[in-house]
Amino acid sequence: MQLVIVESPAKAKTIEKYLGKDYKVLASYGHVRDLPPKDGSVDPDDGFAMTWQGYADKAKRIKEIADLAKKADRLILATDPDREGEAISWHVQELLTQKKVLPKEVSRVTFNAITKKAVTDAMANPRELDHDLIDAYRARRALDYLVGFTLSPVLWRKLPGAKSAGRVQSVALRLIAEREREIEAFKPQEYWSVTARMQHDGQAFDARLTQYDGEKLDRLSLGDEGVATEAKAAVEAASLIVSKVETKPVTRRPSPPFTTSTLQQEAARKLGFSASHTMRIAQQLYEDGAITYMRTDGVQMDGSAISEARKAIADRFDGGYIPEKPNFYSTKAKNAQEAHEAIRPTDFRKDKAGSGDHARLYDLVFKRAMASQMAPAQMERTAVDFADGTGQIVLRANGQVVKFPGFLAVYQEGRDDFSSGGRDDDDGKLLPMMREGDRPAVNAVDAEQHFTQPPPRFSEASLVKRLEELGIGRPSTYASIIQVLKDRGYVRTEGNRFWAEETGRLLTGFLERFFERYVAYDYTAGLEDELDEVSGGRADWQKVLAAFWRDFKPKTEEVMEQKPSDITAELDQFLAPYLFPETGDGSDPRVCPRCGDGKLSLRGGRYGAFVACSNYPECKYTRQFAQAGGEKGESVEPEELGVDPATGAMIETKTGRFGPYIQSGEGKEAKRASIPEDLPGELDLKMAIELLSLPRIVGQHPETGKDIEAAIGRYGPYLRHDGKYAKLQNTAEVFETGMNAAVAKLAEAAANKGKGRGQRDPLKIIGKHPRTDQEIKLMDGRYGAYVTDGSVNATIPKTVDQDQLTLEEAAQLIDERAAKAPPKKKRKAPAKKKKAAVKKAAPKKATAKKNAPAKKAAAKSG
């Protein structure tokens, strides 16, 4: 028996159809082990030795593979044909070696498409594992680990509110933050255009003023309304004739088939897909045998595929659409391990595959690949000049006509926004036939005001394009890079555009000031090149790591020794242009707007940075970390609502890390309550007192006699009774829900928990674990609330209010649970499934004790 290992069950199912009965195909379900998320997993003092740990949720998969490996005559590692695929094969081989069940014969096979021919050809041409690729994988994994576990503790101690930083993610974040600065620094400039609406032989067209008073105009020449009005009047008074007609042919050639990055860009432009969604759909199309491997820098298609594409074109179009010779494309990719064939359909006879998003993405891949082998489009571009008798005034009309569509009959590549903010030209319009001396009619003349526009915020497509241009990261990793920035709250997306959040901007400022080299574009790109040298066998991975660590480690130690107050003072100066931009009247931007004589500066607090007055505590003016005058940076000054009758303290509104809130009193005795967005009515003293008095006792439950409380937590309004919770729809229900409704809602919530443990809905998705990126959920269990990352469950202590539980606290509970008592979860499963097989279950307990729990397997990111 020959055992074949692939990553996914879908791939295994497809491949097994092509192989004989002597083959058994199993899926590893991605990576089977990783570096444990704790200190010491990579040891720089021991040649960067790595301690690997199996994923807890892969134990059954590995046992299944190991059991069959004992019986197999040959092990065939058929994971994906890239660095990550090579690493998965290596991990599987290493685990089987440790278990002493590795078959005598081990082969590595790769194929670029999951078709019968590709798979059988690969099986006939096996090779050994590529240790250069494995070394490159180890180098990248160690680098990312060392940066994360060395830099993140610095952030937690010196930059409150920061979660973590990554080697490549931080540089991508810098791009987004810098664009935000460019937009804020941009000063719009007024300009005008003068356009004549003309007509000739019954066809209307527009012509723009390009020369006035004998001088050629650029975009900003007509800088105000007065000049524009004069120019408009001059055009209206002029007698215009055609002074020049210029026609020239234009050839437009097709783009090459998709690479990973161009697929992500085009899917974002045309389909509105995120990079991660594009890669997920592409992965499934590949596993179904519909397209070739989707992680690639290559732009060329296989010779047989080119022949198939040309035949498919001939079946759909006449001979003019097929070039005399095939179109060939070259790539600039430096990374040999990723320079595979371009992404294309595996069968050009099929113009459709899948349904929904799968069908839409396949259609994009099919048309792009087919168009790449079609003839160029032939166009004719025409420019017509109109002048008055003196030659002082000249207008121009542009037009274009497609003489032969060529590849445009199938596919036209999308375009990004114009960074200049200018309008598209008129080349796509059709002009009437005109000759020199003709006098077209001028129906109207318009003077239109414009303003220059700032550079646009990055979309996923333009960010991927910019990362690739700079050589930062690799196309197969862009989707995961972008997702991490979103998950950690460093950026948000609005209208498919990235906006840098305050935490992201503060982190970028910190890294630029204290770790400038490590977020520099050239340095990051150079390090990527060094890692590519390892892939190609031209560099030693341990030497690359040693060179990095030699400078990085002392730098982190240097920053760690500084006082947090010194860090904040440095950032206050470094970020001054952003935090305190120049005022229009020349006044000091740091003057406190409340007291008038204090100076504003950056301060560090428990929940992050903020701006405060130097006259504190006499002046309590604060604002969030953001540019003054910006949407988020505008100060919400404290407003006194009145005196709390219970305490005699003043109740006032304030703004904190999580938005506006009300406070009664000062210091440790102060009472606070968030101001809900859906507050019923206006916020006055009465409403403030009601919010501060929460939780509200609705009454005693008729069955238990215990209180039913209505309150507002971090995750919204809720009811609580005897440790059980029920959600409320809005804030008004907190104050309006009566006993009957409360009892009914609690009963309904309890009934929903009976759906079964595997189907139970989380009370809240808290966020991604800052160190493992696994999703942490707040759950309501039989014995109370707990948090889980999918593989480790951690009970919430009674001393911790589940509604106030932060992401970092939840992650810490999971980490502590994983480190202290891993075997208990494992011990229960065998007893439930095989009550009679107690003796057989015993060895599993022992094994579980040896293996520390690990985070749930992360999706393969390439």
Side-chain angles (χ1 to χ4, degrees):
M1 187 260 292
Q2 302 187 62
L3 177 60
V4 182
I5 303 298
V6 296
E7 295 94 337
S8 73
K11 185 175 175 181
K13 184 178 179 181
T14 306
I15 289 173
E16 201 159 40
K17 295 187 298 185
Y18 304 140
L19 301 177
K21 295 181 179 179
D22 187 42
Y23 293 86
K24 178 63 179 176
V25 186
L26 290 182
S28 68
Y29 288 76
H31 276 284
V32 294
R33 62 179 190 171
D34 197 4
L35 297 172
K38 61 182 181 181
D39 289 334
S41 295
V42 177
D43 187 358
D45 297 328
D46 188 19
F48 298 93
M50 302 182 201
T51 302
W52 301 99
Q53 175 180 283
Y55 287 117
D57 62 341
K58 297 293 180 67
K60 290 182 179 178
R61 305 293 174 196
I62 293 301
K63 184 180 184 305
E64 184 181 7
I65 292 172
D67 288 345
L68 280 178
K70 294 177 185 177
K71 309 171 187 177
D73 303 312
R74 180 189 180 200
L75 174 67
I76 302 174
L77 301 166
T79 49
D80 288 342
D82 61 0
R83 182 184 62 247
E84 291 295 309
E86 207 73 19
I88 292 172
S89 286
W90 174 69
H91 279 306
V92 170
Q93 179 175 303
E94 289 288 298
L95 279 175
L96 295 181
T97 301
Q98 291 174 11
K99 294 177 179 293
K100 298 181 180 180
V101 293
L102 186 70
K104 292 182 179 179
E105 185 179 354
V106 179
S107 301
R108 172 79 169 113
V109 300
T110 58
F111 33 82
N112 194 47
I114 305 179
T115 62
K116 185 171 184 177
K117 184 178 185 304
V119 172
T120 53
D121 286 351
M123 292 295 176
N125 296 280
R127 62 170 172 81
E128 294 183 352
L129 284 171
D130 187 332
H131 287 279
D132 291 333
L133 289 187
I134 295 167
D135 287 346
Y137 159 78
R138 292 198 286 181
R140 286 177 182 274
R141 191 67 194 88
L143 260 180
D144 292 340
Y145 170 90
L146 289 171
V147 170
F149 276 81
T150 307
L151 187 55
S152 293
V154 177
L155 296 177
W156 299 337
R157 297 181 187 180
K158 307 300 179 182
L159 195 68
K163 297 175 182 178
S164 59
R167 179 177 62 89
V168 181
Q169 294 94 323
S170 298
V171 184
L173 176 60
R174 181 187 174 188
L175 277 173
I176 297 172
E178 281 189 345
R179 178 57 55 88
E180 206 75 35
R181 293 178 202 159
E182 291 172 15
I183 292 171
E184 290 167 350
F186 182 84
K187 295 181 179 180
Q189 193 169 347
E190 179 185 8
Y191 69 97
W192 290 70
S193 64
V194 174
T195 305
R197 286 182 272 165
M198 308 179 78
Q199 186 172 340
H200 186 71
D201 288 344
Q203 184 175 341
F205 62 95
D206 292 343
R208 290 188 186 182
L209 180 64
T210 58
Q211 186 173 308
Y212 177 56
D213 277 347
E215 294 185 6
K216 188 175 181 180
L217 302 179
D218 60 29
R219 189 172 60 147
L220 302 177
S221 295
L222 304 179
D224 58 56
E225 185 177 8
V227 175
T229 302
E230 291 176 4
K232 174 187 174 183
V235 173
E236 289 173 330
S239 178
L240 299 173
I241 63 172
V242 175
S243 60
K244 184 172 68 172
V245 178
E246 190 177 74
T247 301
K248 60 180 180 179
V250 176
T251 298
R252 186 173 169 189
R253 302 186 183 282
S255 299
F258 284 127
T259 62
T260 301
S261 65
T262 56
L263 177 64
Q264 292 174 3
Q265 293 171 48
E266 198 73 337
R269 295 186 193 109
K270 291 192 170 183
L271 306 179
F273 289 179
S274 67
S276 58
H277 185 64
T278 297
M279 295 308 293
R280 183 164 54 251
I281 298 299
Q283 176 89 36
Q284 291 164 358
L285 287 171
Y286 163 68
E287 291 174 350
D288 289 342
I291 65 173
T292 54
Y293 193 56
M294 65 290 156
R295 292 185 178 91
T296 174
D297 283 334
V299 294
Q300 187 56 276
M301 293 198 300
D302 179 77
S304 61
I306 291 175
S307 298
E308 288 182 15
R310 288 170 65 87
K311 185 179 184 305
I313 296 166
D315 291 341
R316 290 169 173 79
F317 302 95
D318 62 44
Y321 285 83
I322 308 174
E324 185 178 342
K325 295 180 180 179
N327 295 329
F328 289 96
Y329 303 91
S330 60
T331 179
K332 296 180 181 179
K334 299 176 182 179
N335 194 349
Q337 71 94 9
E338 294 201 66
H340 301 299
E341 188 181 0
I343 304 170
R344 62 166 176 83
T346 57
D347 188 347
F348 277 95
R349 294 171 297 180
K350 296 180 180 179
D351 58 1
K352 291 180 173 60
S355 60
D357 286 351
H358 293 77
R360 297 171 69 198
L361 190 65
Y362 179 83
D363 183 65
L364 211 61
V365 171
F366 180 89
K367 289 179 176 177
R368 173 81 167 229
M370 176 179 281
S372 73
Q373 287 303 316
M374 294 178 70
Q378 303 296 336
M379 290 169 266
E380 187 176 82
R381 188 167 294 167
T382 303
V384 182
D385 286 350
F386 308 89
D388 67 347
T390 64
Q392 295 296 297
I393 295 176
V394 178
L395 289 84
R396 169 167 287 195
N398 294 310
Q400 181 172 279
V401 60
V402 177
K403 293 292 188 180
F404 173 69
F407 75 93
L408 293 177
V410 172
Y411 187 86
Q412 185 165 351
E413 186 174 10
R415 293 192 294 176
D416 292 317
D417 295 18
F418 291 92
S419 59
S420 64
R423 299 190 307 180
D424 195 0
D425 56 33
D426 298 319
D427 282 355
K429 295 181 180 179
L430 188 64
L431 295 177
M433 180 66 70
M434 289 179 281
R435 299 180 178 83
E436 291 185 17
D438 285 345
R439 293 180 178 272
V442 178
N443 296 328
V445 180
D446 301 318
E448 187 177 356
Q449 184 187 38
H450 311 277
F451 290 92
T452 54
Q453 298 297 312
R457 288 182 170 84
F458 284 109
S459 63
E460 286 215 8
S462 57
L463 181 60
V464 166
K465 184 177 181 181
R466 186 60 180 146
L467 288 169
E468 188 174 34
E469 289 171 349
L470 293 171
I472 296 170
R474 285 296 173 257
S476 58
T477 64
Y478 292 154
S480 60
I481 290 169
I482 290 170
Q483 194 60 46
V484 167
L485 294 180
K486 292 178 182 177
D487 292 342
R488 291 179 181 168
Y490 293 147
V491 301
R492 71 181 189 277
T493 54
E494 291 183 12
N496 293 324
R497 297 284 168 174
F498 287 111
W499 296 63
E501 293 283 20
E502 294 174 15
T503 52
R505 299 189 69 163
L506 181 61
L507 173 61
T508 298
F510 175 83
L511 295 174
E512 285 181 305
R513 172 59 186 84
F514 295 101
F515 294 90
E516 181 181 9
R517 178 184 183 189
Y518 302 99
V519 290
Y521 302 134
D522 290 345
Y523 176 80
T524 306
L527 190 55
E528 290 291 340
D529 289 340
E530 289 186 56
L531 293 169
D532 288 346
E533 292 294 294
V534 176
S535 297
R538 297 177 294 275
D540 181 88
W541 70 279
Q542 290 165 310
K543 290 182 180 179
V544 171
L545 288 175
F548 172 84
W549 189 247
R550 189 182 307 118
D551 297 324
F552 182 71
K553 179 61 174 174
K555 184 64 178 176
T556 57
E557 292 173 343
E558 174 191 323
V559 176
M560 186 66 91
E561 291 174 0
Q562 296 190 46
K563 297 178 181 178
S565 57
D566 294 338
I567 297 284
T568 304
E570 289 278 358
L571 288 175
D572 178 74
Q573 294 299 317
F574 186 77
L575 296 172
Y578 161 60
L579 294 173
F580 313 107
E582 294 181 2
T583 58
D585 57 6
S587 60
D588 186 354
R590 286 183 180 262
V591 172
C592 176
R594 189 175 189 188
C595 68
D597 61 349
K599 292 297 180 72
L600 301 180
S601 62
L602 187 67
R603 303 284 181 88
R606 180 181 178 186
Y607 300 111
F610 62 96
V611 173
C613 178
S614 59
N615 284 340
Y616 179 85
E618 287 76 16
C619 178
K620 298 177 182 177
Y621 175 86
T622 62
R623 74 165 190 249
Q624 292 175 278
F625 172 82
Q627 180 173 340
E631 182 180 343
K632 284 196 170 185
E634 293 179 359
S635 170
V636 179
E637 294 192 32
E639 177 187 353
E640 295 181 346
L641 298 176
V643 176
D644 187 337
T647 63
M650 179 61 67
I651 299 177
E652 57 184 355
T653 62
K654 293 190 173 186
T655 300
R657 181 190 181 198
F658 300 110
Y661 65 96
I662 51 175
Q663 177 173 310
S664 173
E666 296 289 342
K668 294 181 179 179
E669 303 301 320
K671 295 167 63 179
R672 300 178 181 86
S674 296
I675 302 175
E677 292 183 2
D678 62 341
L679 191 69
E682 295 183 4
L683 178 63
D684 52 17
L685 179 61
K686 180 181 177 183
M687 178 57 69
I689 292 172
E690 288 184 359
L691 288 171
L692 288 168
S693 66
L694 292 177
R696 176 177 75 92
I697 305 298
V698 180
Q700 286 70 45
H701 196 288
E703 295 179 4
T704 65
K706 295 183 178 180
D707 288 344
I708 298 176
E709 298 176 340
I712 301 172
R714 187 176 178 186
Y715 309 124
Y718 65 91
L719 291 170
R720 178 171 56 195
H721 164 254
D722 196 20
K724 307 298 180 183
Y725 293 80
K727 295 178 182 178
L728 293 175
Q729 295 300 312
N730 51 55
T731 299
E733 289 192 356
V734 174
F735 303 103
E736 298 171 0
T737 300
M739 271 297 296
N740 291 338
V743 171
K745 286 179 181 291
L746 287 165
E748 182 181 351
N752 287 339
K753 292 173 190 174
K755 293 188 297 182
R757 189 176 183 86
Q759 300 177 348
R760 187 171 296 160
D761 294 331
L763 295 176
K764 184 70 177 179
I765 296 176
I766 299 176
K768 295 283 186 177
H769 193 302
R771 291 172 286 285
T772 68
D773 282 339
Q774 298 306 304
E775 191 172 69
I776 299 178
K777 300 176 182 178
L778 175 66
M779 306 294 292
D780 191 7
R782 182 180 180 185
Y783 302 106
Y786 66 95
V787 289
T788 180
D789 65 353
S791 60
V792 177
N793 297 342
T795 302
I796 298 176
K798 293 182 180 179
T799 55
V800 176
D801 185 347
Q802 71 179 53
D803 298 310
Q804 302 300 321
L805 186 69
T806 66
L807 176 61
E808 183 56 41
E809 288 170 341
Q812 189 65 33
L813 288 172
I814 287 174
D815 290 347
E816 290 175 358
R817 170 62 177 158
K820 287 180 180 178
K824 291 184 179 180
K825 186 179 178 183
K826 287 276 186 182
R827 194 159 30 225
K828 293 178 182 178
K832 286 183 179 180
K833 293 183 179 180
K834 296 182 180 180
K835 293 183 178 179
V838 177
K839 293 182 179 180
K840 293 183 179 180
K844 294 185 180 180
K845 295 181 183 178
T847 303
K849 290 179 180 177
K850 293 179 182 177
N851 295 331
K855 65 184 189 301
K856 195 171 183 178
K860 178 182 166 187
S861 62

